[in-house]
Amino acid sequence: MPLQFALCPGRMIGGSHPCFIIAEIGQNHQGDIEIAKKMIKMAKQASLGAPYNSKHSWGKTYGDHKRHLEFSHDQYRELKKMAVEFLHELDVPFFKVASCDANNFPYLEKTAKKGRPMVISTGMQSMETIRRVYKTVKEHKQNFTLLQCTSAYPLDPKEVNLSVIKTFQEEFPDVPIGYSGHEQGIYITVAAVGMGAKVVERHVTLDKTWKGNDHEASLEPSELAELVRAIRLVETAMGSPVKQMLPCEKTCHDKLGKSVIAKVAISKGTVLRLDMFAVKVGEPKGIPPENMQNLVGKKIKVDVKEDDSILADMIE
C-alpha cells in the first residue's frame, strides 16, 4: 500500500484519501488579526462547501463527503487501541517513501538517519532526481530499494516503462531494484519479477467497484493470491544462469541427441574432411556436432561404414 498517515487529527492523506488542499494566506491579512481569522474561515468554507461531483463522492459537497467518511471520537479511540496492540507486537521493519516525497530531500535525509531500511518509490521523478535520491540516502543508510513507478491510477500498459528497471539496475548496481504497479491485472508485475525486480508493490482491495480512485488499479483477494503463486513460480523458473545440459534432459538427449556420422564409407588412415560427415541421430552416441570441425585434418584409425557413428576412440 502507498504511504498514508494523519496529516492532522481526523484527516488522512495518501492512498485513496481526498487531496489535501492548502489555502496559503501569506501576507494578505494586511497585518490585521481579524482579517486573518476571516480568511481562515473563508478558506475552510470554500473547501467544505465546494461541489464534489466525482464518481467517488459520498456527498454533493466536499463537506458532505468528508462528514460521511469521518469516524466519531469513540470510533477513533477504538481504532487507536487496535493499532497500539498491533504495533506492540511489531517493530516497523522499514520506511516507505511515496513517489510524491521522493524529491523532498530534507525529508529523505531525516528518514535515512533513522537507521531502518527504506523502500523508495520513484513516480513523477526524473532520472537526475533519482540519482540525487540515491546519493542522499546512500550517505546515511546502506539498506534501501528503489521502485520503478508511474503515478497514474489505473496505469495504461503503454506508460509502465518496465525497461526503467534495467536502467536502474545498471545505474545503481549495489541497490535492489523493484516495481510499484498501478496497472490492472497481474501480468505486468510478474514480468517485472522476470526482469529482476526484488520488491513489488500493488494496491489491494476487497471490491474494485467501491468508491475511491485506487480501487480500479487494485487487486482483489483472488488476484493477489494468483500474483503470489505466479511470482513464486517465476522465481523458481529463473534457476541458474549457467547454461548446460541438465540431468532432466538426459532422456530427451538419449532419444533425439545428434552425433557426427560417416556420410560415406571411410577407410582406415584417411585424413578426414568436412564433406565426409553428416549429422544424425546415431547409435551409439558419437562425437557431438559442435565438435565436428575439430576432426578435420585428423586421421581415422579404423574402417568406418556409411551412416556409422564416428567415436572419439576412432581418431588418432
Side-chain angles (χ1 to χ4, degrees), residues 213-267:
N213 294 333
D214 285 354
H215 292 294
E216 193 176 355
S218 300
L219 300 178
E220 292 183 343
S222 61
E223 292 176 300
L224 180 60
E226 180 59 26
L227 177 63
V228 173
R229 286 192 294 268
I231 287 175
R232 297 295 173 248
L233 181 62
V234 167
E235 287 174 333
T236 299
M238 294 299 289
S240 169
V242 178
K243 181 58 183 173
Q244 58 185 323
M245 189 174 78
L246 300 175
C248 66
E249 297 178 290
K250 185 178 184 305
T251 299
C252 188
H253 183 263
D254 289 345
K255 181 179 180 181
L256 300 176
K258 303 293 179 61
S259 299
V260 177
I261 59 101
K263 187 176 182 179
V264 295
I266 305 174
S267 300

Side-chain angles (χ1 to χ4, degrees), residues 18-44:
C19 177
F20 189 86
I21 300 171
I22 298 175
E24 183 175 355
I25 295 174
Q27 61 183 4
N28 290 345
H29 50 70
Q30 309 297 316
D32 188 322
I33 189 66
E34 295 303 321
I35 293 177
K37 290 178 181 178
K38 289 180 181 179
M39 294 185 73
I40 292 171
K41 290 179 181 179
M42 175 273 295
K44 179 180 179 181

Side-chain angles (χ1 to χ4, degrees), residues 132-252:
R132 287 185 59 194
V133 169
Y134 172 86
K135 182 178 180 181
T136 299
V137 178
K138 197 70 173 176
E139 289 177 356
H140 303 285
K141 186 66 184 176
Q142 295 290 323
N143 299 326
F144 65 98
T145 176
L146 297 170
L147 308 187
Q148 158 57 2
C149 174
T150 302
S151 298
Y153 306 81
L155 176 58
D156 189 314
K158 297 190 295 294
E159 308 296 339
V160 171
N161 291 338
L162 283 182
S163 295
V164 175
I165 291 175
K166 294 298 184 184
T167 301
F168 283 174
Q169 289 168 337
E170 293 169 1
E171 184 90 14
F172 315 113
D174 56 342
V175 174
I177 303 303
Y179 172 68
S180 177
H182 307 127
E183 74 280 0
Q184 296 174 318
I186 70 171
Y187 302 121
I188 290 173
T189 301
V190 173
V193 174
M195 294 179 69
K198 300 303 181 184
V199 177
V200 295
E201 177 185 62
R202 291 296 307 272
H203 291 207
V204 296
T205 182
L206 295 179
D207 190 337
K208 292 182 183 180
T209 66
W210 285 352
K211 292 181 180 180
N213 294 333
D214 285 354
H215 292 294
E216 193 176 355
S218 300
L219 300 178
E220 292 183 343
S222 61
E223 292 176 300
L224 180 60
E226 180 59 26
L227 177 63
V228 173
R229 286 192 294 268
I231 287 175
R232 297 295 173 248
L233 181 62
V234 167
E235 287 174 333
T236 299
M238 294 299 289
S240 169
V242 178
K243 181 58 183 173
Q244 58 185 323
M245 189 174 78
L246 300 175
C248 66
E249 297 178 290
K250 185 178 184 305
T251 299
C252 188

Side-chain angles (χ1 to χ4, degrees), residues 265-279:
I266 305 174
S267 300
K268 176 181 178 180
T270 298
V271 176
L272 297 173
R273 304 187 310 273
L274 197 60
D275 60 5
M276 295 177 177
F277 308 138
V279 175

